[in-house]
Amino acid sequence: MKALAAGIGVVFLSPVLIAGTGMMLASSADAVQSSDSVSNCLTDIDTDKVSEKVVKILDGASDKNVHIKGLDLPAEQVPNAATIVAAGLSLDVPTKGQIVALATAMQESRLRNLNYGDRDSLGLFQQRPSQGWGSAQQIRDPVHASEQFYKHLLTLDGWQQMTVTQAAQAVQKSGLPDAYAQWETLATALQGAIAKTFPRGGNDADGHAADQDRKPSIGASGCAPGQDGSGFGRIPEGSVPKGYAIPKDADPKARKAIEWAMHQLGTLYQWGGSCTDSHGPDPMGRCDCSSLMQQAYAHAGITLTRTTYTQVNEGKAASPAQLKPGDLIFSRGTAARPEHVGMYMGEGLVIEAPRTTKPVRITPIKDWTILAARRVL
């Protein structure tokens, strides 16, 4: 079986993925498109289209010509996904286990073989040398990283009865235990598409035909809550969409924070700005993403730290599928070190200070890829 992994690995690791020679991605996070272009809710994946596009990528098509919903850089990400599936097949891991691995890698690294991460975390699964996953060089070998993930998964009693996100969390022990669920539909589509390209890839490890159109487990989707904001149509920057009102059941402190943040709508973003006088003449009194959150909650009597990197540790983790008004949601970068933060307003909307040259604005949550969510009340 090890030979199969090595053989398949040669196909998909050269020249892109061979450890030590390819994908040194110190700047890869900067290359990924803004989360504004990716929907958080990925339940409407067309499996047939994914299969067609996966084959094109594996045949050498560039990501300029092939687009897969949920993947910003498919020319990098699909070969990594293929390696994960190949390693699973070589170890006779059932289809569900391969889906768990893909969902995990999508959450931890966006299927990129990162040479950085939180503390000493590295690679597709953000495994840590200090925690016994292997040396730094080994962890950045996608075959080794995938096999290590599967070996840990297969030691768990009853993992096949768990949901995808429960199984992933049991291996990863993340501070964001619900985050993996949002990737289950895409992971299922990718596994089915990739497995069909391998000999016996259409059969599960027990010899029975795998259900390549398997649906995510009921209630496991990590999509945005009830509404995704699309019902408001196009929202002019700096304006409140017609018909929006803060939900009546919002926590009073969350209501105050949202109301204060809404008074900053239309003011220009300023990196490093304090958000203490966003309408004033001094640019440094304007808001960046994290100072908007800090000052909004300060006016509700809640103290938050200053940066996105620290705010992701505030309060307690919240499920992206069960957000409440006032929850902080994080995107860009990684779950452990996100680069952007906004506040969920209810009704499928988020208020944010997006980036330089853009004003504080309200956006639909469908335009967010949520890496983490925190409830600070």
Side-chain angles (χ1 to χ4, degrees):
M1 290 188 293
K2 183 74 173 180
L4 175 61
I8 296 174
V10 168
V11 175
F12 292 102
L13 294 178
S14 177
V16 180
L17 296 172
I18 296 176
T21 62
M23 294 189 68
M24 297 301 291
L25 297 178
S27 61
S28 181
D30 297 328
V32 177
Q33 298 173 3
S34 165
S35 63
D36 289 345
S37 66
V38 183
S39 170
N40 177 54
C41 193
L42 297 172
T43 57
D44 56 344
I45 297 294
D46 186 322
T47 302
D48 291 336
K49 287 184 178 180
V50 170
S51 295
E52 177 186 345
K53 293 173 181 179
V54 162
V55 170
K56 288 182 179 179
I57 288 291
L58 296 179
D59 284 343
S62 74
D63 54 12
K64 293 181 180 179
N65 303 316
V66 179
H67 303 283
I68 299 176
K69 185 176 182 179
L71 301 182
D72 295 301
L73 298 171
E76 291 181 2
Q77 294 161 308
V78 168
N80 282 333
T83 300
I84 292 170
V85 172
L89 292 172
S90 73
L91 294 172
D92 290 330
V93 176
T95 296
K96 181 175 180 178
Q98 297 168 36
I99 293 170
V100 172
L102 288 169
T104 301
M106 279 189 273
Q107 171 60 25
E108 297 292 349
S109 70
R110 291 298 184 272
L111 280 172
R112 295 170 296 153
N113 191 19
L114 300 177
N115 64 359
Y116 62 90
D118 179 45
R119 288 169 287 189
D120 58 338
S121 300
L122 297 166
L124 291 172
F125 298 93
Q126 289 290 279
Q127 295 159 339
R128 299 178 60 192
S130 63
Q131 299 299 310
W133 291 91
S135 67
Q137 183 177 5
Q138 287 175 321
I139 289 172
R140 293 206 65 249
D141 173 357
V143 173
H144 171 90
S146 300
E147 290 181 344
Q148 285 297 306
F149 179 87
Y150 287 128
K151 288 175 181 177
H152 282 72
L153 176 67
L154 295 175
T155 62
L156 298 173
D157 291 334
W159 71 267
Q160 293 197 62
Q161 283 70 54
M162 299 178 186
T163 65
V164 167
T165 196
Q166 287 171 341
Q169 171 63 9
V171 175
Q172 298 294 103
K173 298 178 175 61
S174 168
L176 305 166
D178 299 313
Y180 305 102
Q182 63 187 310
W183 302 106
E184 182 176 347
T185 303
L186 180 56
T188 301
L190 281 176
Q191 191 281 333
I194 293 167
K196 291 175 183 177
T197 68
F198 294 124
R200 77 177 179 85
N203 291 326
D204 217 333
D206 60 5
H208 298 292
D211 180 7
Q212 302 297 355
D213 295 318
R214 174 184 174 273
K215 302 298 182 183
S217 50
I218 296 174
S221 174
C223 293
Q227 298 166 298
D228 63 6
S230 59
F232 290 100
R234 182 181 175 276
I235 304 172
E237 288 189 334
S239 69
V240 179
K242 185 178 180 179
Y244 170 78
I246 300 173
K248 293 180 180 180
D249 61 351
D251 184 287
K253 291 185 177 180
R255 178 179 295 274
K256 286 185 179 179
I258 294 169
E259 287 175 345
W260 189 89
M262 289 171 66
H263 281 96
Q264 318 315 311
L265 285 169
T267 61
L268 283 177
Y269 175 98
Q270 175 62 52
W271 185 84
S274 65
C275 203
T276 53
D277 187 16
S278 64
H279 295 275
D282 182 359
M284 296 312 294
R286 299 173 188 162
C287 310
D288 64 15
C289 66
S290 55
S291 65
L292 178 64
M293 303 299 105
Q294 183 189 48
Q295 291 303 315
Y297 264 111
H299 285 77
I302 302 294
T303 300
L304 298 182
T305 51
R306 173 63 182 85
T307 70
T308 304
Y309 303 141
T310 54
Q311 287 177 1
V312 75
N313 297 312
E314 298 277 6
K316 60 184 179 180
S319 169
Q322 298 176 340
L323 294 175
K324 294 182 178 180
D327 285 349
L328 305 185
I329 61 173
F330 299 83
S331 68
R332 306 175 195 163
T334 67
R337 193 172 173 81
E339 298 169 2
H340 186 55
V341 61
M343 184 185 297
Y344 184 63
M345 304 171 63
E347 305 296 328
L349 298 176
V350 182
I351 190 165
E352 62 168 345
R355 58 182 180 274
T356 302
T357 75
K358 293 289 186 179
V360 174
R361 65 186 184 184
I362 294 172
T363 54
I365 200 169
K366 70 179 182 64
D367 290 345
W368 284 67
T369 297
I370 301 177
L371 299 175
R374 304 295 292 186
R375 187 159 297 149
V376 298
L377 296 174

